[in-house]
Amino acid sequence: MKKFLIPFGFLLFVVGKSNAQNTQNNPGSNHGNKFEQLGGILPTPNEYRTASGAPGPKYWQQRADYDIKCDLDESKLKLTGSETITYWNNSPDVLTYLWLQLDENEHSSKNNANYQDGSSMPDTTSSQQVSRYAAQNAPNNGGVNITKLTDGLGAAMKYTINKTMMRVELPTPLKPGKQIVLKVDWNYFISNRMKEGGRGGYEFFPEDGNYLFTITQWYPRLCVYSDFQGWQNHQFTGRGEFALTFGNFKVQMTVPADHVVGGTGECQNYQQVLSPAQFARWQKAQTTKEPVEVVTLDEAKKSELDKTAKTKTWIFKADNVRDFAWGSSPKFVWDAMPAYVEGKKVMCMSFYGKEAYNLYRKFSTKAVAHTIKTYSKFTIPYPYPVAQSVEASNGMEYPMICFNYGRTEKDGTYSEATKYGMLGVVIHEVGHNFFPMIVNSDERQWTWMDEGLNTFVEYLTEELYDNKFPSRRGPAFTITDYMKLPKDQLEPIMTNSENIVQFGPNAYSKPATGLNILRETIMGRELFDYAFKEYARRWAFKHPTPADFFRTMEDASAEDLDWFWRGWFFGTDPCDIALDSVKGFKPEFITKSNGPAVVYKKLAGPQVNAFEDISKVRNRDDKNIQFLTDADTTLRDFYWKYDRGIEPYDSTSVAIPNNTTAATLTDEEKKAIADQNFYQLYFTNKGGLVMPIIIEWTYKDGTKEVERIPAQVWRKSETKLSKIFVKNKEVASIKLDPMRETADIDESNNSWPNVSTPSRFQVFKAAEQARGQSTGGNPMQAAEKKKGF
């Protein structure tokens, strides 16, 4: 069984399904240790990263600036480019080589990462799948061709290509504080991403004979060199994404003259590449309150028909970004409008073909604006001048631009699923501007820091788009099907992205759900939101690790959350808290005698309330929140489920002797407790994951009360406990986690039947006892008490 070590001792984990089976190396499954501090599991704080989770006084990171010129040859489906890279060594280390990423080698039959999965041939399969099998096993001419590599003075440099990585050997070591200039010429044949997969490539539209290009992960680019990892040069397999060095970009793209281009940053020459009418619309869009079509539908349809051999060069500039991507097509309609974040104008824009017009024209740009405003509220103000959504039948994100799906039927209509899927992916991909394009985590090692954090804020944004938005990830109840899977199908969130079987639930849903549970159930919104914003503020335009996140959330809130990180992120145990039994009793008063036995009776089962997500309820009750849209009653998805948990009445009684000498209560003491109802509840932590206990009491007068007990109630007994509650009213029924906030995987053991009239128990005023005299009975009596447990 092969093991891998995350650098600096962060977490020892086992790849593949065996992760969940090895509890020795899984701190989240260490029974009896759930409330211990993470201690040595987290890296030792140092001058680069502090114990508070903030960057240290000597934190550093590298910088890489790019000046790129490229040519898109549509007839040959080939991209040719040359780039000048200026690289600053801000580290305290002397570098003798540099590592560059060649992600396009994913499509090379020679230089791909060659991380293969098992496969089998089904009895029946589609022709498309057969073609894909054949393509995957056939040699090709894909991948990057490096035609020239020199230093800034033109001297040739030695390099070695290892699959999707290129090592450049420096003739002179690069000392701290120094910089080097590289010049690289390259080309590659653009892949058909609809057949070959991948994040960049082309889509061909046979009905009109046009292409839509998404040019992403396309130029040789510097890997991250960091204090906690050294070179981040893990091979690109197509799943784990990337981490890159921040810098400034100037990019010139020469494309067919009938193409419209959207790219990272701001275009510097719109007046030269747009018609006078289009440029006038662009100027109008700067101050409009509704999206303006800079390139209209009619103009896009005309471009589809009018082929040309001429070219145009679009020039873009982007500062302090970690990557650059662009889209190009004659099919693009382009609309734009401004949004304002703390008084700063951000141009929100969308590019889409006629196939998506009725969806994107109505929703896309406004969804972009809503996203950057909402994320800015929960993290940091959006710092860039542009945010763009491009419909390209896929989903992927880059600084200031993302590619999404969402096309209508040929008659322009669309389904509810398509609409909400389109809105969700636009919000998600635009949101990636914050995680990880600004808060720049290592996606290849810790996918959840990218996808999980972003999915969480996506959920918050969807909730504020429409109070009835059918969010699929975020509410605790949506993760239970995953968490109840057999242990051999689960891995901790803290698992390398390449090795995860259930990738979507593990990297997206479970971390997003965990953060929502922290916000709604464990910390509360005020504490959580402050700490989460502090994490984004501390690590904007820097390279955080999981320890920096965990420590910041605790440092900024004064909440000890190590038990939660241990269980939810490092472990695979689910939440399953069972309400085993309930005993109810009322007082009667005795005078100077030994009390008789106390009789407890189990209670009958309750009826379950209709369910609604707690975030929706709280958002609706918060008068400071305004939703972007009104609810559409024809498309509502309430996530209400009805569950009945009637248990047969259990009349089992248990006699508990009382051997304490009694004294007389005063009339005032009797009055104070005469009308009280006492209930002892017995719980079992069947799942192993400790969580708060949330109890909904339904009283016989029809009123309800929700009581919240923090997870620390389990700290002295992690599997079983009992607790006494005193109520002014008689209880009719009891239900755990009524709003399904804790991801409890088995709700059938969360309820207790209707409570009959509580048993009487005798109350006395204890006379003064001699020191050391036992008043709690003997061990045999204690064992008898537990029989009903």
Side-chain angles (χ1 to χ4, degrees):
M1 185 163 57
K2 189 176 181 181
K3 297 180 180 179
F4 293 81
L5 188 65
I6 297 179
F8 285 78
F10 196 88
L11 167 66
L12 189 65
F13 64 89
V14 187
V15 302
K17 292 186 178 181
S18 56
N19 272 338
Q21 296 170 318
N22 189 335
T23 57
Q24 188 174 20
N25 290 324
N26 181 354
S29 295
N30 187 1
H31 294 287
N33 196 31
K34 300 182 189 301
F35 286 94
E36 292 300 316
Q37 297 296 290
L38 288 177
I41 296 173
L42 300 184
T44 303
N46 53 46
E47 57 193 355
Y48 308 125
R49 295 165 193 271
T50 69
S52 72
K58 292 188 177 181
Y59 175 83
W60 55 266
Q61 64 187 43
Q62 311 292 63
R63 173 180 168 183
D65 290 350
Y66 296 83
D67 189 336
I68 306 174
K69 296 179 181 179
C70 63
D71 239 307
L72 174 61
D73 187 332
E74 189 174 44
S75 62
K76 295 180 180 179
L77 297 174
K78 186 176 183 181
L79 188 67
T80 302
S82 63
E83 63 189 90
T84 299
I85 308 171
T86 305
Y87 184 74
W88 279 263
N89 181 15
N90 297 323
S91 79
D93 306 326
V94 176
L95 303 179
T96 57
Y97 50 80
L98 309 178
W99 280 101
L100 278 71
Q101 303 185 40
L102 304 179
D103 286 8
E104 191 56 38
N105 278 0
E106 174 194 12
H107 297 112
S108 167
S109 57
K110 177 182 178 183
N111 289 323
N112 66 79
N114 200 29
Y115 285 19
Q116 299 183 29
D117 294 325
S119 58
S120 60
M121 181 62 72
D123 293 334
T124 59
T125 188
S126 67
S127 59
Q128 291 89 341
Q129 186 59 54
V130 171
S131 298
R132 179 162 291 191
Y133 287 144
Q136 289 172 346
N137 289 277
N140 62 37
N141 60 352
V144 178
N145 302 303
I146 303 296
T147 57
K148 189 177 183 182
L149 173 62
T150 69
D151 63 17
L153 299 177
M157 301 182 72
K158 184 179 179 181
Y159 65 91
T160 300
I161 294 176
N162 176 21
K163 304 180 181 75
T164 63
M165 293 289 162
M166 181 170 77
R167 185 184 65 227
V168 177
E169 299 170 29
L170 304 180
T172 303
L174 185 60
K175 296 181 179 179
K178 301 299 182 179
Q179 65 190 62
I180 188 173
V181 175
L182 309 177
K183 294 189 174 183
V184 189
D185 293 348
W186 49 266
N187 63 68
Y188 68 85
F189 288 99
I190 302 169
S191 63
N192 183 338
R193 60 180 171 79
M194 306 303 290
K195 292 184 178 180
E196 299 176 51
R199 293 178 167 89
Y202 70 82
E203 178 182 3
F204 180 64
F205 294 78
E207 61 273 18
D208 54 52
N210 289 289
Y211 292 89
L212 191 161
F213 294 92
T214 55
I215 309 299
T216 68
Q217 299 171 224
W218 54 289
Y219 58 96
R221 52 205 185 142
L222 263 299
C223 297
V224 168
Y225 183 77
S226 69
D227 63 280
F228 66 88
Q229 191 175 26
W231 285 106
Q232 196 289 81
N233 55 4
H234 296 177
Q235 295 291 336
F236 178 58
T237 70
R239 172 183 280 185
E241 292 173 4
F242 49 87
L244 294 167
T245 302
F246 286 102
N248 299 332
F249 284 74
K250 180 182 178 182
V251 181
Q252 301 179 58
M253 308 91 110
T254 300
V255 301
D258 56 357
H259 280 217
V260 171
V261 173
T264 295
E266 294 179 291
C267 182
Q268 305 296 295
N269 65 333
Y270 276 147
Q271 196 160 8
Q272 286 71 48
V273 294
L274 299 178
S275 71
Q278 290 167 343
F279 186 69
R281 294 184 210 122
W282 168 248
Q283 291 177 309
K284 178 182 177 182
Q286 304 301 305
T287 57
T288 186
K289 293 184 178 180
E290 291 289 327
V292 170
E293 288 186 15
V294 178
V295 176
T296 68
L297 177 62
D298 288 341
E299 288 171 335
K301 289 180 176 179
K302 187 174 186 298
S303 293
E304 288 180 327
L305 300 174
D306 298 338
K307 307 299 181 183
T308 177
K310 297 180 180 180
T311 62
K312 288 182 180 178
T313 298
W314 299 61
I315 304 173
F316 280 75
K317 190 172 183 294
D319 291 337
N320 204 16
V321 294
R322 56 171 241 174
D323 199 7
F324 190 103
W326 51 290
S328 182
S329 180
K331 298 177 65 64
F332 282 151
V333 179
W334 166 22
D335 70 45
M337 65 176 285
Y340 294 88
V341 176
E342 296 193 357
K344 177 184 176 182
K345 183 172 75 171
V346 180
M347 287 306 297
C348 300
M349 303 189 287
S350 298
F351 299 80
Y352 45 91
K354 62 180 185 296
E355 295 82 4
Y357 186 84
N358 278 11
L359 268 171
Y360 271 69
R361 182 66 178 89
K362 186 181 301 182
F363 297 115
S364 178
T365 295
K366 289 186 176 181
V368 171
H370 173 66
T371 300
I372 62 169
K373 289 178 182 178
T374 305
Y375 273 69
S376 295
K377 172 185 174 183
F378 289 109
T379 60
I380 62 169
Y382 184 73
Y384 294 129
V386 173
Q388 301 164 84
S389 165
V390 181
E391 196 290 313
S393 193
N394 68 342
M396 188 56 195
E397 72 281 354
Y398 302 90
M400 293 184 252
I401 191 170
C402 59
F403 302 93
N404 311 304
Y405 76 87
R407 294 176 185 171
T408 69
E409 304 292 342
K410 289 188 179 298
D411 63 2
T413 63
Y414 49 84
S415 67
E416 176 189 14
T418 300
K419 172 191 172 181
Y420 282 118
M422 170 260 180
L423 285 172
V425 75
V426 170
I427 292 170
H428 182 89
E429 306 301 351
V430 173
H432 270 306
N433 275 289
F434 295 82
F435 304 102
M437 299 301 152
I438 295 170
V439 182
N440 188 13
S441 55
D442 179 356
E443 303 165 71
R444 217 157 277 180
Q445 181 61 66
W446 300 300
T447 300
W448 70 267
M449 293 192 73
D450 158 24
E451 299 296 355
L453 268 62
N454 184 55
T455 301
F456 165 65
V457 189
E458 174 199 348
Y459 169 65
L460 300 180
T461 305
E462 291 173 350
E463 292 289 284
L464 296 180
Y465 182 94
D466 184 342
N467 190 234
K468 304 301 179 186
F469 200 104
S471 299
R472 297 180 300 111
R473 293 166 169 163
F477 73 90
T478 63
I479 197 65
T480 54
D481 284 345
Y482 169 68
M483 295 189 73
K484 67 176 65 170
L485 289 174
K487 285 295 183 70
D488 64 353
Q489 297 180 37
L490 299 172
E491 289 117 347
I493 292 173
M494 292 294 298
T495 302
N496 182 276
S497 64
E498 312 297 349
N499 310 322
I500 301 170
V501 178
Q502 298 280 346
F503 186 70
N506 182 283
Y508 292 70
S509 305
K510 189 180 178 184
T513 302
L515 296 179
N516 191 46
I517 291 172
L518 281 179
R519 184 174 188 255
E520 297 287 18
T521 303
I522 295 171
M523 299 174 69
R525 291 185 172 190
E526 184 176 359
L527 281 177
F528 179 92
D529 290 351
Y530 183 92
F532 194 74
K533 283 176 71 75
E534 179 65 10
Y535 167 71
R537 185 195 67 78
R538 285 178 173 182
W539 291 98
F541 302 104
K542 296 181 177 70
H543 306 301
T545 68
D548 302 317
F549 177 70
F550 297 151
R551 286 169 166 157
T552 294
M553 292 300 293
E554 297 190 27
D555 182 69
S557 67
E559 287 286 330
D560 180 3
L561 300 172
D562 279 21
W563 64 271
F564 186 78
W565 312 131
R566 180 186 295 277
W568 194 270
F569 284 80
F570 289 88
T572 59
D573 285 342
C575 173
D576 182 9
I577 298 173
L579 178 56
D580 293 324
S581 62
V582 178
K583 297 174 181 178
F585 35 94
K586 286 183 69 71
E588 61 183 25
F589 307 106
I590 62 174
T591 303
K592 291 183 181 295
S593 65
N594 288 338
V598 178
V599 177
Y600 301 89
K601 290 188 177 179
K602 293 186 178 180
L603 308 177
Q607 295 186 356
V608 181
N609 293 338
F611 170 73
E612 192 169 16
D613 174 13
I614 190 170
S615 296
K616 286 182 165 59
V617 173
R618 289 177 175 168
N619 286 340
R620 190 166 59 245
D621 292 343
D622 188 340
K623 303 306 179 185
N624 295 317
I625 288 178
Q626 291 184 340
F627 300 104
L628 187 64
T629 64
D630 295 325
D632 181 345
T633 57
T634 65
L635 300 176
R636 285 181 177 177
D637 186 351
F638 286 91
Y639 293 106
W640 284 357
K641 297 181 179 179
Y642 296 93
D643 183 19
R644 296 289 185 263
I646 304 301
E647 299 281 349
Y649 178 72
D650 187 344
S651 59
T652 303
S653 63
V654 180
I656 310 263
N658 185 336
N659 296 322
T660 303
T661 302
T664 304
L665 277 73
T666 66
D667 290 342
E668 290 76 12
E669 290 171 328
K670 291 179 181 179
K671 183 177 180 182
I673 62 174
D675 296 327
Q676 300 296 316
N677 300 276
F678 293 77
Y679 299 92
Q680 185 168 2
L681 276 58
Y682 294 85
F683 306 95
T684 299
N685 180 3
K686 299 178 70 173
L689 179 68
V690 291
M691 272 287 176
I693 299 176
I694 306 171
I695 305 170
E696 180 185 69
W697 305 88
T698 300
Y699 299 107
K700 289 190 175 180
D701 64 2
T703 60
K704 295 178 184 290
E705 176 192 12
V706 174
E707 190 163 352
R708 296 172 178 271
I709 305 169
Q712 283 77 9
V713 72
W714 298 99
R715 68 192 183 280
K716 296 179 180 178
S717 177
E718 296 174 357
T719 56
K720 287 181 177 290
L721 65 87
S722 69
K723 189 169 178 59
I724 295 173
F725 300 85
V726 182
K727 300 298 178 183
N728 293 323
K729 303 177 183 180
E730 288 193 33
V731 173
S733 60
I734 301 170
K735 180 175 176 59
L736 300 186
D737 195 13
M739 298 301 292
R740 305 169 80 184
E741 301 174 51
T742 63
D744 194 308
I745 64 170
D746 184 2
E747 295 181 70
S748 68
N749 57 27
N750 286 9
S751 303
W752 200 253
N754 292 332
V755 182
S756 61
T757 301
S759 303
R760 311 298 292 183
F761 75 102
Q762 294 189 323
V763 180
F764 57 87
K765 183 176 182 179
E768 187 173 347
Q769 304 291 317
R771 179 173 294 179
Q773 180 177 342
S774 173
T775 60
N778 59 56
M780 183 179 292
Q781 290 169 339
E784 288 295 317
K785 290 181 183 179
K786 291 182 179 179
K787 284 185 177 180
F789 190 70

